[in-house]
C-alpha cells in the first residue's frame, strides 16, 4: 500500500512500463512526463492540508487541455500542440491532491466507438488484447482496467465513457449536462459533449466526480447546482426506490446472455427492497439517426478552426485554398473526414430543414420521454450499457454497424440526463455493464443504486 504521493506515482509508472510499453503493450498512454509528475507528487506530500484525492495518480483523455503534456485529440493535425491553459477539471483534481501521470489514447477528436481511429494506433483491451476497449475514451478505460490508475478522465458525446467502461469491466459515469465544466475540453459536438470519470470502483468514480463537479464561471453551460457527497450514498436498503426497465432497451434481437445478466442484476436490486416495473421510451429507436445528424453537424462547425492558419499542422501550399485542403487531408483521419462531410451536408441550404431541424425536433421528443417516465414515479432506469461484450479488433468495418454500439447510450447525451455503467457480470470471460439513468442533477440517487449493484456482485462471488 502506498504511503506517499511519490510512491503512488512511482507505482503508476512502474505498472505503465509493465503493461503499456512496447509492441505488445496496450497503447493506452500517449504522453507522460515522469519527472514532472514526481515534482507534483512531492509538492502534494509537502502540503500542510491533505485534499480529498491526496496522492492519487490519474490520467486524462488526450482531448482535455493540459499545460505540460501534449493535447493532440489523437490526431496528426494537433501533433506537438501544448495548450497554454489547463482544463478546469485538471485544476480541480490537482487542487484535491491528485497527480496527473499521463494523457490517454483516444479515437481521433473523440469520434469512434472502438478506439481504432487514433492516429497513434488502436488501444487494446486489458481483459483480452485481441479485442477493442471501446471508444472513444478507450485509453482512459484501459488505464484503469489495467491497474495503472484508479481514476481517469474521459469525455462523452454519445456514450464514450460508459461504453468502454462496460467493455473493460470498470465503472464509467456521464454526469448531467452542465454538472461538470467543459472549459478545456476540445469541442466535438458542443451540445452533447461532457467530461466523465472512470473508476476502479463506484466509490472511486463518485469521489472523482465530487471533486470536478460544480459551477465554473469560465463555462456558461455549467449549472449552479449543489454538489452532494456522492461517495456517502452507499446503502444496503433500496426500499422505496422505483426502477424502470424500458422495453425498448430489451428488444427481441438483444443477445439473450446480455438480457439474462441484466435481469439477474434487477433481481439483486429487488432483493434489496427496490421495486421494478416495465416502462416505455417510445422514441428510443430514433436515437442513432438523430445523434448521427446532430453530432456531425456540430463537428463540422467546431473543427473548421483546424485549418493550418492558427495552430497545429500546416502543409505549405501555393494558395490559401490549397493549404486548407492539403492540411486537412493530411491531418484528419477517415472517421473525422466522414463526419465533417456528413455534417456539412446536413447543414447545407437545401437539407438543413429536412435533416438538422427535424433531428432537433425528434431530440426534444427523446428528452420528453425521459421526463414523462420520471414524472410517473420512476426514480431510475436500468438498461444494458452495450448490446454485446467487446468485439474483436477490426470486426466492425461497416461504419453504421460501428455506430450501433451506441444504441443504448446516445439517448442520455441527447437528453442531458446522468448515467453510469457498472459491471454486472461476464459472457465468455468478457465484462458486461449495466446502465443506470437518472433525472437531471440527481447523480446522488444514481450512485445509491450503483453502490448496491456493486455490493450485490461482490457478495455473489
Amino acid at each position: 500500500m502506498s504511503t506517499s504521493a511519490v510512491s503512488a506515482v512511482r507505482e503508476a509508472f512502474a505498472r505503465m512500463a509493465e503493461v503499456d510499453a512496447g509492441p505488445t503493450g496496450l497503447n493506452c498512454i500517449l504522453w507522460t512526463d515522469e519527472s514532472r509528475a514526481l515534482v507534483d507528487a512531492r509538492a502534494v506530500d509537502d502540503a500542510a492540508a491533505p485534499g480529498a484525492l491526496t496522492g492519487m495518480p490519474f490520467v486524462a483523455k488526450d482531448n482535455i487541455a493540459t499545460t505540460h503534456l501534449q493535447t493532440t485529440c489523437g490526431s496528426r493535425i494537433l501533433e506537438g500542440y501544448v495548450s497554454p491553459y489547463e482544463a478546469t477539471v485538471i485544476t480541480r483534481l490537482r487542487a484535491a491532491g491528485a497527480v496527473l501521470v499521463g494523457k490517454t489514447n483516444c479515437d481521433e477528436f473523440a469520434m469512434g466507438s472502438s478506439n481504432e481511429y487514433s492516429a497513434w494506433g488502436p488501444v487494446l483491451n486489458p481483459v483480452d488484447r485481441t479485442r477493442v476497449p471501446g471508444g472513444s475514451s478507450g485509453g482512459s478505460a484501459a488505464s484503469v482496467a489495467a491497474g495503472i490508475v484508479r481514476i481517469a478522465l474521459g469525455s462523452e458525446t454519445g456514450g464514450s465513457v460508459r461504453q468502454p467502461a462496460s467493455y473493460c469491466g470498470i465503472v464509467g459515469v456521464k454526469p448531467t449536462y452542465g454538472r461538470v465544466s467543459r472549459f478545456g475540453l476540445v469541442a466535438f459536438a458542443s451540445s452533447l459533449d461532457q467530461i466523465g470519470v472512470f473508476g476502479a470502483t463506484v466509490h472511486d468514480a463518485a469521489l472523482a466526480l465530487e471533486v470536478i463537479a460544480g459551477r465554473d464561471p469560465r463555462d456558461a453551460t455549467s449549472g449552479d447546482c449543489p454538489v452532494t457527497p456522492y461517495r456517502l450514498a452507499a446503502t444496503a436498503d433500496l426500499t422505496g426506490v422505483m426502477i424502470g426497465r424500458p422495453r425498448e432497451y430489451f428488444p427481441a434481437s438483444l443477445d439473450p446472455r446480455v438480457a439474462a445478466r441484466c435481469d439477474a442484476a434487477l433481481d439483486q436490486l429487488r432483493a434489496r427492497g427496490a421495486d421494478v416495473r416495465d416502462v416505455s421510451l417510445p422514441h428510443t429507436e430514433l436515437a442513432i439517426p438523430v445523434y448521427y445528424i446532430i453530432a456531425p453537424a456540430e463537428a463540422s462547425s467546431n473543427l473548421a478552426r483546424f485549418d493550418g492558419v492558427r495552430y497545429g499542422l500546416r502543409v505549405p501550399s501555393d494558395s490559401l485554398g490549397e493549404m486548407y485542403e492539403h492540411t486537412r487531408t493530411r491531418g484528419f483521419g477517415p472517421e473525422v473526414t466522414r463526419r465533417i462531410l456528413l455534417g456539412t451536408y446536413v447543414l447545407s441550404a437545401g437539407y438543413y430543414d429536412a435533416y438538422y431541424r427535424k433531428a432537433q425536433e425528434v431530440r426534444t421528443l427523446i428528452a420528453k420521454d425521459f421526463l414523462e417516465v420520471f414524472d410517473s414515479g420512476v426514480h431510475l432506469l436500468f438498461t444494458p450499457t452495450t448490446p454485446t461484450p467487446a468485439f474483436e479488433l477490426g470486426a466492425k468495418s461497416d461504419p453504421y454497424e460501428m455506430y450501433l454500439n451506441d444504441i443504448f447510450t446516445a439517448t442520455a447525451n441527447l437528453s442531458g440526463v446522468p448515467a453510469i455503467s457498472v459491471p454486472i457480470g461476464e459472457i465468455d470471460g468478457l465484462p458486461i455493464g449495466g446502465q443506470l439513468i437518472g433525472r437531471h442533477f440527481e447523480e446522488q440517487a444514481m450512485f445509491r443504486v450503483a453502490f448496491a449493484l456493486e455490493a450485490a456482485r461482490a457478495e455473489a462471488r
Side-chain angles (χ1 to χ4, degrees):
M1 182 176 178
S2 301
T3 57
S4 68
V6 168
S7 60
V9 167
R10 284 180 174 149
E11 289 170 10
F13 277 99
R15 182 62 177 164
M16 199 185 299
E18 180 183 355
V19 302
D20 195 54
T24 60
L26 298 174
N27 195 33
C28 59
I29 307 290
L30 289 181
W31 320 116
T32 63
D33 185 340
E34 186 171 0
S35 61
R36 169 61 185 269
L38 287 170
V39 168
D40 290 346
R42 291 187 186 98
V44 169
D45 286 336
D46 292 341
L53 295 173
T54 292
M56 184 173 284
F58 76 99
V59 293
K61 189 175 178 178
D62 192 34
N63 62 346
I64 299 174
T66 52
T67 54
H68 68 282
L69 295 174
Q70 292 185 53
T71 300
T72 71
C73 299
S75 178
R76 293 290 180 188
I77 206 163
L78 280 176
E79 185 173 2
Y81 175 74
V82 178
S83 171
Y85 62 89
E86 71 179 11
T88 295
V89 291
I90 302 291
T91 301
R92 289 181 176 177
L93 285 173
R94 283 161 34 84
V99 180
L100 179 66
V101 296
K103 299 289 286 293
T104 59
N105 203 349
C106 59
D107 282 308
E108 186 179 9
F109 282 98
M111 298 183 194
S113 300
S114 65
N115 227 138
E116 296 175 284
Y117 291 116
S118 168
W120 319 113
V123 178
L124 308 184
N125 191 318
V127 181
D128 180 345
R129 297 191 183 202
T130 69
R131 296 177 182 269
V132 303
S136 60
S137 305
S140 291
S143 298
V144 175
I148 297 172
V149 293
R150 293 189 63 86
I151 60 172
L153 295 178
S155 71
E156 277 249 7
T157 308
S160 291
V161 168
R162 288 162 290 152
Q163 188 242 37
S166 178
Y167 284 176
C168 292
I170 60 173
V171 178
V173 184
K174 183 204 89 71
T176 305
Y177 186 84
R179 172 61 88 184
V180 174
S181 172
R182 291 185 298 114
F183 180 80
L185 175 67
V186 178
F188 161 16
S190 302
S191 74
L192 301 167
D193 292 344
Q194 295 177 252
I195 292 174
V197 298
F198 294 98
T201 65
V202 175
H203 180 274
D204 292 333
L207 184 55
L209 185 60
E210 275 183 45
V211 169
I212 66 173
R215 171 77 176 139
D216 178 11
R218 293 176 294 184
D219 176 9
T221 65
S222 63
D224 191 12
C225 297
V227 179
T228 53
Y230 305 131
R231 67 191 185 282
L232 301 182
T235 177
D237 184 8
L238 296 181
T239 301
V241 176
M242 177 62 72
I243 297 173
R245 183 185 184 275
R247 60 179 63 97
E248 291 81 6
Y249 289 72
F250 293 87
S253 58
L254 180 65
D255 186 325
R257 299 171 298 174
V258 174
R261 301 302 184 279
C262 289
D263 288 339
L266 286 169
D267 286 341
Q268 291 170 335
L269 296 179
R270 287 188 185 96
R272 281 160 169 71
D275 293 314
V276 179
R277 78 179 190 208
D278 287 339
V279 297
S280 178
L281 300 167
H283 296 94
T284 296
E285 65 178 3
L286 300 174
I288 292 299
V290 166
Y291 175 82
Y292 281 100
I293 290 173
I294 294 174
E298 295 186 15
S300 71
S301 176
N302 280 325
L303 270 63
R305 70 193 72 180
F306 302 105
D307 54 11
V309 175
R310 288 170 277 267
Y311 44 74
L313 176 69
R314 174 184 294 179
V315 179
S317 304
D318 294 334
S319 68
L320 183 64
E322 288 183 352
M323 190 268 288
Y324 287 163
E325 179 182 353
H326 295 161
T327 296
R328 289 171 172 166
T329 298
R330 185 182 300 178
F332 288 140
E335 184 61 24
V336 172
T337 300
R338 182 182 296 118
R339 297 198 194 193
I340 289 174
L341 291 173
L342 176 60
T344 302
Y345 176 81
V346 301
L347 289 177
S348 60
Y351 301 99
Y352 179 92
D353 287 334
Y355 292 103
Y356 185 72
R357 186 186 298 277
K358 182 64 68 176
Q360 290 287 18
E361 291 171 352
V362 177
R363 179 183 187 177
T364 300
L365 297 177
I366 291 171
K368 186 179 177 183
D369 285 348
F370 281 101
L371 292 176
E372 289 179 348
V373 167
F374 290 135
D375 286 344
S376 73
V378 170
H379 299 110
L380 294 163
L381 299 171
F382 180 84
T383 79
T385 306
T386 58
T388 66
F391 51 88
E392 292 182 342
L393 291 156
K396 306 282 188 181
S397 57
D398 180 355
Y400 186 70
E401 187 180 2
M402 181 76 78
Y403 298 163
L404 288 176
N405 287 288
D406 299 331
I407 193 167
F408 297 146
T409 55
T411 51
N413 295 86
L414 290 167
S415 57
V417 294
I420 184 172
S421 179
V422 183
I424 58 170
E426 293 84 27
I427 294 176
D428 297 332
L430 299 172
I432 279 291
Q435 178 177 223
L436 293 163
I437 304 173
R439 279 182 177 269
H440 293 96
F441 295 103
E442 292 191 6
E443 285 84 358
Q444 180 84 353
M446 189 175 72
F447 276 112
R448 179 186 178 188
V449 177
F451 274 115
L453 267 180
E454 184 178 64
R457 185 161 183 248
E459 292 170 7
R461 286 176 175 173

